[in-house]
Amino acid sequence: VPVDGSHWLSMRELLDMLAQKGHEVVVVAPEVSLQIKPSKTFVMKMYPVPFTQEEMDRVFKGSIQDLFEEGSFLERVIRQYHQAKKTSALFLATCTHLIRNKELIRYLEESKF
């Protein structure tokens, strides 16, 4: 169960190597993500989340843009705090919807994931 972003980029190389050695690799991921995409080297088990790709992209682009916005130190810190709250809410929703997905959890339990 990967974490999106740079964690996934590091994990992806490891998963490719495991697949080359003959291991069956199953990746559990939300339908909306920054970096996690289907591949021929592993099986994807995806689950729905309550936000769109556009919403996620907007939150992350907003975080980057805020770094370069003008303003006092306090204004910049407050903007970054608000962006961190938005990002945290996305990740929390991602985790919550995985845990509440009874069908996927049942598959994971039955396959001894």
Side-chain angles (χ1 to χ4, degrees):
V1 180
V3 176
D4 214 341
S6 61
H7 301 292
W8 169 248
L9 298 176
S10 300
M11 186 182 287
R12 174 68 196 267
E13 187 173 332
L14 175 66
L15 297 180
D16 288 341
M17 289 175 18
L18 287 171
Q20 287 174 4
K21 292 183 178 205
H23 295 276
E24 179 185 4
V25 178
V26 178
V27 173
V28 176
E31 290 177 341
V32 175
S33 70
L34 293 172
Q35 304 283 338
I36 306 169
K37 305 296 180 220
S39 168
K40 293 177 183 175
T41 59
F42 52 79
V43 174
M44 290 278 300
K45 292 292 182 182
M46 301 180 89
Y47 59 95
V49 289
F51 50 86
T52 65
Q53 186 69 53
E54 292 76 24
E55 290 170 311
M56 178 179 252
D57 291 345
R58 191 171 38 252
V59 167
F60 282 91
K61 285 178 185 173
S63 294
I64 293 168
Q65 289 173 339
D66 272 351
L67 290 173
F68 301 102
E69 289 282 325
E70 295 290 323
S72 71
F73 176 75
L74 181 57
E75 290 170 332
R76 291 171 39 208
V77 167
I78 291 171
R79 280 197 314 267
Q80 284 300 301
Y81 168 75
H82 288 294
Q83 287 294 2
K85 281 178 50 175
K86 291 176 188 176
T87 302
S88 296
L90 288 179
F91 286 130
L92 178 61
T94 298
C95 294
T96 302
H97 279 73
L98 168 59
I99 292 169
R100 291 183 181 161
N101 188 317
K102 294 184 187 314
E103 182 180 326
L104 181 55
I105 295 299
R106 186 173 27 260
Y107 164 81
L108 296 174
E109 288 172 345
E110 289 173 359
S111 67
K112 303 200 186 318
F113 186 81

